Every structure is written in C-alpha cells, then in structure tokens.
Amino acid sequence: MFDCGEGTQIQMINYKIRRSRVNHIFISHLHGDHYFGLIGLINSFALLGRVQPLHVYGHAALKELIDFQFRLSDTQLPFQLVFHSFEKAGIVLEAKTYTVEIFPTRHRISCYGFIVREKKNLRRINIEETKKREIPFTAFAKLQAGEDYVELNGTIIRNNVLTVENDKPKTYVFCADTIFDEQLAPVIKDADILYHETTYPHTHLQKAAERFHSTTKQAAVIAKLSNAKKLLIGHFSAKYDELGIFEQETREVFPNTELALEGVTYLI
Amino acid sequence: MFDCGEGTQIQMINYKIRRSRVNHIFISHLHGDHYFGLIGLINSFALLGRVQPLHVYGHAALKELIDFQFRLSDTQLPFQLVFHSFEKAGIVLEAKTYTVEIFPTRHRISCYGFIVREKKNLRRINIEETKKREIPFTAFAKLQAGEDYVELNGTIIRNNVLTVENDKPKTYVFCADTIFDEQLAPVIKDADILYHETTYPHTHLQKAAERFHSTTKQAAVIAKLSNAKKLLIGHFSAKYDELGIFEQETREVFPNTELALEGVTYLI
C-alpha cells in the first residue's frame, strides 16, 4: 500500500479489499492526507487479532508517532510491526517476484516516491517440446532459468527450443507529491504506468511551484521525458469537483493519460 | 463535539453537518476509536482557512500529539487552537446558555464523561400584560431575571403577573467508556438524556468487566439509579451486526431506551 489517508480502511471495507492482504505499507511523507489513516488501520489489525508481521516504511518520525499513540492507549500489538526508516534512495524491499525502490521527490517536507519493479520473469516451459523429448520435470527449474539441456548421451538441446520468452517484467512508479522536476525523468524511466500528481490545472503554474506541487502539463512533460507507457494522474485540488479539465490538459501533451479515480483498478 | 473517531469529518460531510459550526471538541480518552479523526478534522479546518478559535478539551498528551503532527507536516494553523487539559472533575466550559462539566469514569486508561447543563432559563415576558400596563422595554431584562416591577407611584407589580415560567433547563450526559460503576449515579443524576455505553450484551458480563466496559443491563441499572428520563445506548462491539439484542435487553430493565444510531438526531 502506498500512502494511507484518513478513512482508507473504511474505503477498503466498502470496496471489499481484504485488509489482511496488506503486509507492506509505504508512507511517502508526513502530510496528513498521506498518512492519517495509518494508525487506525494498524489499530484495526490489532483488534482483528492479526498475527503476521506488518512492514511499514517511512520517515523515522512516523515510528515515534505510532509508538506514542499506542503507548497512550496502552495497546500491545499482537503482531510484529517492523518499521523501515527512509534513509537514502535505493531498494527497501526485495520480495520474491518484485522489488520496491525509493527515490526523493522535491516537496515542502521530506518526501519519497516508489518504484515497483517486477523481477525478470523466468522463461516459460514449452510443454509440447519437453513432452516430445521426454525431458523430466526435475530439469524444469534450470530450463526456466535459461540453461540448455544436456541429454544422457551428451547431446545439447538449446534452451530456446524447450522454452519461450515470458512477458517483460513490469514497472510501476508512484511519484508521490512533487514540484515539477525534470531530474526525476532518468530516475523513473520506462514505467509501464507512471502515477504523477497534478494538484492544479496548468493555469495555476505559479501556485503549484509555491506549494511544491505540479500542474497537468508538467506531469505530462515528466511522462514524456521519462518514456512512460501510460500516465495516471491524481491528487487533484479539492477546489475542483469537475475533473475533465485535468484529463484534457494532460492529454494535450501526453495522450495516454488516465485519471486516478477512487475505487477503480488499473491493470499494469 | 464529544469524541471524534476516524472518518468523523467524512460522515459530517455525508450528513451535511457544517464543520465550521464546531467550536468545542471534547475527547473522553485516548483510545483510537475516540480520537483518530480529530487530527484530520483540525487539518481540514486549516485547509479551509478557518479563522475562529477552536477549543479542544482532553488529556494533556493529546496536545503533545497534535503539536507533534503539525510540526512534522510543517503546518501553521491559521486559527487559534486553545487546548484545555483535563485535570480534575468540574466545569471546563462556561458558555452563555450552558456549561460543560467533566467527571472521571472507570476505564482501562484515564477517561472522562461529560455533562451539558443548560443554564436556568430566563422567565418569559407576558407581552399582553406588559403592553396593557405600559411597562417600558428597558425594564424587560430585570423582569426576565425575576424581579418585581415598581411603578413611578410606588405600586409594586409582582413578577409572576408580568412573566411566565420558561422551559426547565435540560441536561445531557455523555458517559464515555466505563465499567459498571454505581458511584456514577449521583454524579450524573436527573439527565434528560443519558448516553451510556453498552459494548456487550449481558451474557458477556465477565468480558465487559475485564475490558472495563459495560453490558446492556448494567447501563439500564445506571439509568435507573441516576433517575435518567431517557437512555441512549451505543459503542456496540463490532462483533454484532444485529443490534436488536442490545435494545431488547436494556429495555427489560429501563424501558425508555433507544439505540444511538449513526446519522440519527435525538432531541433533548
């Protein structure tokens, strides 16, 4: 989970997303709209009797704040809360099939964005060929890893005869809150989906800069420069009920743009 | 406002309760379900450009927590936040037409309940009589306060000729979270509406005591002992989707009981 504003757990219930599926929560920065729902979610995990560890990643002060609140309420968590403080850019989570990497963005307070990279996918077994040549299952792991197969008589069967290339690993980038910053482009390059904030329409260029936020066209320029396949925009100023202007302005510069809307799933 | 759980401000928007009407917020104790929505509400006040002061009443540590969070987000509130720490039982707010008094309840951590007492209502002017006797408007304030009227010739007109008694001042008691405690009864006596928690049906008597909460029948006994006119019950354990059992059990002991339901207004 990336960021956790007030009421996140309530919306998860509304959208039937099982809270127990969440094991890693990343908090980009300590402005309230990005973390005020975290303490309540953790509290609910305690009430629901969670046992599996929960990993929280964020600014070191967030740990202090969590500890302070549970001390006040005299709460002992029934599970392990493992806190990972942000210290420098780089990989903070290495899971079996993906990594999560953090990078600093330029905001009013310390803020980090996140890159989720799928690990290189294993090659896919060509079942027909392996059957035909009677290759034993026990050899599959090595085949998937790209090795050739050596028969008992010493004959080498090339890997690409027995396997096919798998889908390209995907990359998702969550840019958090940031002022327009061209230097982000090389850091976040080649995302399959790039989420970039567009707090304001482009007419509010000046205000965006003052508040360390971005406009529609600025997000689109970052998407272009970073060679994103698709751009997802969000964090719209609460002043706007009608989001058409955000979609339209951004698409003028980067056509493959979608609004990040509550309750919608976007496939990468 | 008494207590402020997560998402309170979101529900206020849903129920069209103007957040700007809130000037005094009382937090009974520092368990999350009673205060996790406070910081978000204050944050929204800041974003909405509130200027009038906001008074928050609670455990001294709550002030530390608020300050800590706004320090982290580098937020300067555009209004004055006046914090009133709970120190001992007694009146904490003396407004023009009512007072708010706090009293300790017995819970797992320090916890206070609240009594809102309307001030004694002024007597109501009998317009017909004052017209007939040509009593000047300038004398009305004294008449409302109960004084007799003295004519220029020295004749005394008794107050009860010129005024009528007003409605009796009302009292609302919010008992917060508490274990069953008969000693509360004299403290909260004669409430027009008594809110008392019923976390559990009466079958869970033991569990209620262990967790410093009350059952249905225990709340009803307190209502009876304290001579409440009406009992409002709430804080039902999340284990129960169906609240009929709470209503039924409580009414067996105290018939004039209602469930405190979200979004419902109860007239005092």
Side-chain angles (χ1 to χ4, degrees), chain B residues 148-164:
Chain B
D148 295 336
Y149 183 73
V150 187
E151 294 192 314
L152 286 173
N153 63 12
T155 314
I156 290 170
I157 308 173
R158 286 291 175 81
N159 185 282
N160 64 9
V161 175
L162 300 171
T163 68
V164 290

Side-chain angles (χ1 to χ4, degrees), chain A residues 177-188:
Chain A
D177 284 10
T178 187
I179 200 170
F180 174 68
D181 182 5
E182 295 190 344
Q183 292 178 27
L184 276 184
V187 177
I188 63 176

Side-chain angles (χ1 to χ4, degrees), chain A residues 99-165:
Chain A
T99 58
V100 178
E101 197 178 316
I102 66 171
F103 59 93
T105 68
R106 279 177 58 208
H107 195 41
R108 199 158 56 77
I109 58 174
S110 166
C111 184
Y112 282 86
F114 308 108
I115 305 173
V116 187
R117 285 186 217 281
E118 243 186 333
K119 288 188 177 174
K120 195 173 157 30
N121 287 318
L122 295 172
R123 293 184 65 84
R124 218 184 298 150
I125 300 292
N126 182 333
I127 295 292
E128 242 169 71
E129 285 295 328
T130 52
K131 251 191 182 160
K132 203 171 79 187
R133 293 164 196 264
E134 296 179 345
I135 312 279
F137 292 126
T138 48
F140 281 12
K142 285 185 174 175
L143 289 179
Q144 287 172 311
E147 295 184 23
D148 294 336
Y149 183 73
V150 187
E151 295 192 313
L152 286 174
N153 63 11
T155 313
I156 291 171
I157 308 174
R158 286 291 176 82
N159 186 283
N160 63 9
V161 174
L162 301 171
T163 69
V164 290
E165 185 145 28

Side-chain angles (χ1 to χ4, degrees), chain B residues 12-254:
Chain B
M12 292 178 82
I13 295 168
N14 290 341
Y15 292 122
K16 304 202 194 305
I17 298 167
R18 280 175 49 206
R19 285 173 288 182
S20 59
R21 288 184 55 198
V22 175
N23 294 310
H24 300 273
I25 304 177
F26 300 81
I27 302 295
S28 64
H29 66 299
L30 299 181
H31 281 147
D33 50 331
H34 295 260
Y35 85 94
F36 282 166
L38 177 65
I39 188 75
L41 181 57
I42 298 175
N43 203 46
S44 293
F45 281 144
L47 291 170
L48 295 166
R50 178 189 178 108
V51 289
Q52 80 262 36
L54 177 72
H55 295 263
V56 177
Y57 305 76
H59 190 290
L62 181 57
K63 175 66 161 52
E64 276 181 66
L65 195 55
I66 295 169
D67 288 347
F68 187 21
Q69 287 176 91
F70 285 126
R71 211 160 53 236
L72 292 176
S73 59
D74 190 22
T75 299
Q76 308 296 331
L77 297 179
F79 58 89
Q80 203 194 348
L81 193 155
V82 187
F83 194 87
H84 307 260
S85 302
F86 291 158
E87 269 143 31
K88 58 177 196 323
I91 291 173
V92 291
L93 166 59
E94 171 119 25
K96 206 173 155 197
T97 56
Y98 65 92
T99 58
V100 179
E101 199 178 315
I102 66 170
F103 59 93
T105 68
R106 280 176 58 208
H107 195 41
R108 199 157 57 77
I109 58 173
S110 167
C111 183
Y112 282 87
F114 308 108
I115 305 174
V116 187
R117 283 187 218 280
E118 242 186 333
K119 287 187 177 175
K120 196 176 155 29
N121 287 319
L122 295 173
R123 293 184 65 83
R124 220 183 298 151
I125 301 293
N126 181 333
I127 295 293
E128 243 169 67
E129 285 295 327
T130 52
K131 252 192 181 157
K132 203 171 78 189
R133 293 161 195 266
E134 296 180 344
I135 312 279
F137 290 126
T138 47
F140 280 14
K142 284 183 175 178
L143 290 178
Q144 288 173 312
E147 294 184 23
D148 295 336
Y149 183 73
V150 187
E151 294 192 314
L152 286 173
N153 63 12
T155 314
I156 290 170
I157 308 173
R158 286 291 175 81
N159 185 282
N160 64 9
V161 175
L162 300 171
T163 68
V164 290
E165 186 145 28
N166 214 328
D167 298 333
K168 233 190 123 216
K170 299 286 203 300
T171 301
Y172 170 64
V173 175
F174 175 86
C175 250
D177 283 11
T178 187
I179 199 170
F180 174 67
D181 181 5
E182 295 190 345
Q183 293 179 25
L184 276 184
V187 177
I188 63 176
K189 69 174 195 294
D190 300 331
D192 291 276
I193 293 188
L194 166 65
Y195 164 87
H196 195 292
E197 67 132 295
T198 55
T199 304
Y200 301 104
H202 201 61
T203 39
H204 288 80
L205 196 58
Q206 178 64 26
K207 196 190 264 183
E210 282 164 17
R211 302 188 179 180
F212 289 82
H213 282 301
S214 302
T215 70
T216 49
K217 300 206 174 184
Q218 291 178 328
V221 167
I222 297 295
K224 250 184 158 169
L225 288 175
S226 70
N227 193 36
K229 290 202 185 54
K230 185 190 207 143
L231 173 61
L232 205 59
I233 54 172
H235 202 271
F236 313 113
S237 161
K239 296 246 158 45
Y240 299 84
D241 286 331
E242 176 47 64
L243 302 177
I245 178 99
F246 290 92
E247 192 175 30
Q248 190 191 311
E249 285 190 359
T250 313
R251 283 185 178 170
E252 279 168 23
V253 180
F254 193 84

Side-chain angles (χ1 to χ4, degrees), chain A residues 1 14 27 31 110 118 121 156 183 198 210 221 236 256:
Chain A
M1 176 184 286
N14 290 341
I27 303 294
H31 281 147
S110 166
E118 243 186 333
N121 287 318
I156 291 171
Q183 292 178 27
T198 55
E210 280 164 19
V221 167
F236 312 112
N256 195 12

Side-chain angles (χ1 to χ4, degrees), chain A residues 31-175:
Chain A
H31 281 147
D33 51 330
H34 296 260
Y35 84 94
F36 282 167
L38 177 65
I39 188 75
L41 181 58
I42 298 175
N43 203 46
S44 293
F45 281 143
L47 292 170
L48 294 168
R50 178 189 179 107
V51 288
Q52 80 261 38
L54 177 71
H55 295 263
V56 178
Y57 304 76
H59 189 289
L62 181 58
K63 176 63 162 52
E64 276 182 66
L65 196 56
I66 294 169
D67 288 346
F68 187 20
Q69 288 176 91
F70 285 126
R71 210 159 54 234
L72 291 176
S73 60
D74 189 22
T75 300
Q76 308 295 332
L77 297 180
F79 57 89
Q80 202 194 349
L81 193 154
V82 187
F83 195 87
H84 307 259
S85 301
F86 291 159
E87 269 145 31
K88 56 177 199 322
I91 290 174
V92 291
L93 166 59
E94 171 119 25
K96 204 174 157 196
T97 56
Y98 65 92
T99 58
V100 178
E101 197 178 316
I102 66 171
F103 59 93
T105 68
R106 279 177 58 208
H107 195 41
R108 199 158 56 77
I109 58 174
S110 166
C111 184
Y112 282 86
F114 308 108
I115 305 173
V116 187
R117 285 186 217 281
E118 243 186 333
K119 288 188 177 174
K120 195 173 157 30
N121 287 318
L122 295 172
R123 293 184 65 84
R124 218 184 298 150
I125 300 292
N126 182 333
I127 295 292
E128 242 169 71
E129 285 295 328
T130 52
K131 251 191 182 160
K132 203 171 79 187
R133 293 164 196 264
E134 296 179 345
I135 312 279
F137 292 126
T138 48
F140 281 12
K142 285 185 174 175
L143 289 179
Q144 287 172 311
E147 295 184 23
D148 294 336
Y149 183 73
V150 187
E151 295 192 313
L152 286 174
N153 63 11
T155 313
I156 291 171
I157 308 174
R158 286 291 176 82
N159 186 283
N160 63 9
V161 174
L162 301 171
T163 69
V164 290
E165 185 145 28
N166 215 328
D167 298 332
K168 234 190 123 214
K170 298 288 201 300
T171 301
Y172 170 64
V173 175
F174 176 86
C175 249

